[in-house]
Amino acid sequence: MKYLKLATISLAAVLVLGSAVPGQAAQEKAVDMSPVHGDGYVLVNPESPETEHFPDGRTFMPTGKISPETVVVVTDSDGSLPGAMTQKQLTTMVAEQRAMKTSGQAAPDEARMLSPRPNSVEQVQDEPAYAVMSQRTYSAGYSWVQFSGSSQIGMNADTRLYYWHSVASSTAQWAEGQGLGYYRGYNGSTMGTWSAFYAMGTARSRVDSGASIPWGNVAAVTKFRVRSLNSPIAGGYWGP
């Protein structure tokens, strides 16, 4: 009986150790964060070791040399497509851009929303999910607070995205906002895509504020940061 007990314990220990090793290996397996080149697009991860973050809030994501028509897709940190974007939406939009170029038709200087958040409104079409309006709520104190919105894709290199924000009506609140945008350029001799926060001005009661911000041929999640200027808390809506 003693031998059986010891054998049982030993077997259990082996099973535990045997099952722990694959799990540990899975946890230790790193996400591949290198740029991935697809048909008409390139995936870049903002958390890649190759990405550089600067004190002024700018971020440089290397892509290598790509054509002006190539869509730069800024993935989530785990490498998945941004927001709720699907592979079908991405390939459909890239194909549409390519068809426009082939036919000699200029792609419109606009961004299209691919994954509206639950509180977005006026969704026009299901696949890809185009939307023309959206709004989200925010609240912030005197320090910057950042919010994420929908995933958008720019239709050409000249695309700009209009960010706006408001504060609660009939209040004395003032809120300063900034919206995340993108542009292509070099960091030393390396070609890539830069992200930066752009000023949106100050929203006051009954006076919204906003700005047209560079976006380009980028598919990414919109990001907005805001801070109160004259009261412990400021709150309102923002978009896109």
Side-chain angles (χ1 to χ4, degrees), residues 196-226:
F197 278 95
Y198 292 82
M200 296 166 53
T202 300
R204 305 184 300 277
S205 179
R206 303 182 185 279
V207 180
D208 296 353
S209 185
S212 176
I213 290 174
W215 190 265
N217 264 8
V218 170
V221 171
T222 55
K223 296 184 184 295
F224 164 72
R225 64 184 185 184
V226 61

Side-chain angles (χ1 to χ4, degrees), residues 97-153:
Q97 290 174 322
R98 182 173 295 161
M100 288 181 179
K101 182 182 178 183
T102 302
S103 65
Q105 179 183 357
D109 298 343
E110 65 179 24
R112 291 182 175 175
M113 183 182 294
L114 295 182
S115 59
R117 298 300 186 187
N119 61 347
S120 67
V121 296
E122 202 172 335
Q123 183 168 320
V124 179
Q125 186 175 334
D126 290 331
E127 189 65 44
Y130 299 163
V132 297
M133 290 183 61
S134 68
Q135 58 183 15
R136 293 159 195 79
T137 59
Y138 75 86
S139 64
Y142 292 119
S143 299
W144 289 108
V145 180
Q146 183 168 304
F147 298 86
S148 296
S150 59
S151 55
Q152 304 261 354
I153 183 169

Side-chain angles (χ1 to χ4, degrees), residues 169-193:
S169 61
S170 302
T171 67
Q173 297 173 357
W174 288 32
E176 178 185 6
Q178 295 182 347
L180 187 68
Y182 296 90
Y183 61 95
R184 296 189 189 185
Y186 284 90
N187 182 22
S189 60
T190 304
M191 182 66 180
T193 294

Side-chain angles (χ1 to χ4, degrees), residues 10-207:
S10 299
L11 179 59
V14 169
L15 290 174
V16 169
L17 290 174
S19 62
V21 172
Q24 182 180 0
Q27 291 178 357
E28 293 176 353
K29 186 178 179 180
V31 176
D32 185 4
M33 295 184 176
S34 303
V36 177
H37 292 262
D39 185 13
Y41 63 88
V42 58
L43 306 179
V44 294
N45 192 317
E47 300 303 324
S48 167
E50 300 174 358
T51 297
E52 291 190 52
H53 301 277
F54 293 82
D56 60 4
R58 293 180 303 151
T59 297
F60 177 78
M61 297 164 285
T63 60
K65 290 186 177 180
I66 55 177
S67 71
E69 294 80 20
T70 300
V71 176
V72 176
V73 183
V74 182
T75 70
D76 292 338
S77 58
D78 62 359
S80 61
L81 292 179
M85 183 184 294
T86 67
Q87 184 66 39
K88 182 178 180 181
Q89 289 174 331
L90 176 60
T91 54
T92 298
M93 295 299 297
V94 170
E96 183 178 336
Q97 290 174 322
R98 182 173 295 161
M100 288 181 179
K101 182 182 178 183
T102 302
S103 65
Q105 179 183 357
D109 298 343
E110 65 179 24
R112 291 182 175 175
M113 183 182 294
L114 295 182
S115 59
R117 298 300 186 187
N119 61 347
S120 67
V121 296
E122 202 172 335
Q123 183 168 320
V124 179
Q125 186 175 334
D126 290 331
E127 189 65 44
Y130 299 163
V132 297
M133 290 183 61
S134 68
Q135 58 183 15
R136 293 159 195 79
T137 59
Y138 75 86
S139 64
Y142 292 119
S143 299
W144 289 108
V145 180
Q146 183 168 304
F147 298 86
S148 296
S150 59
S151 55
Q152 304 261 354
I153 183 169
M155 293 301 290
N156 67 27
D158 297 323
T159 296
R160 300 179 72 87
L161 197 60
Y162 187 78
Y163 280 83
W164 62 271
H165 70 298
S166 65
V167 296
S169 61
S170 302
T171 67
Q173 297 173 357
W174 288 32
E176 178 185 6
Q178 295 182 347
L180 187 68
Y182 296 90
Y183 61 95
R184 296 189 189 185
Y186 284 90
N187 182 22
S189 60
T190 304
M191 182 66 180
T193 294
W194 291 84
S195 69
F197 278 95
Y198 292 82
M200 296 166 53
T202 300
R204 305 184 300 277
S205 179
R206 303 182 185 279
V207 180

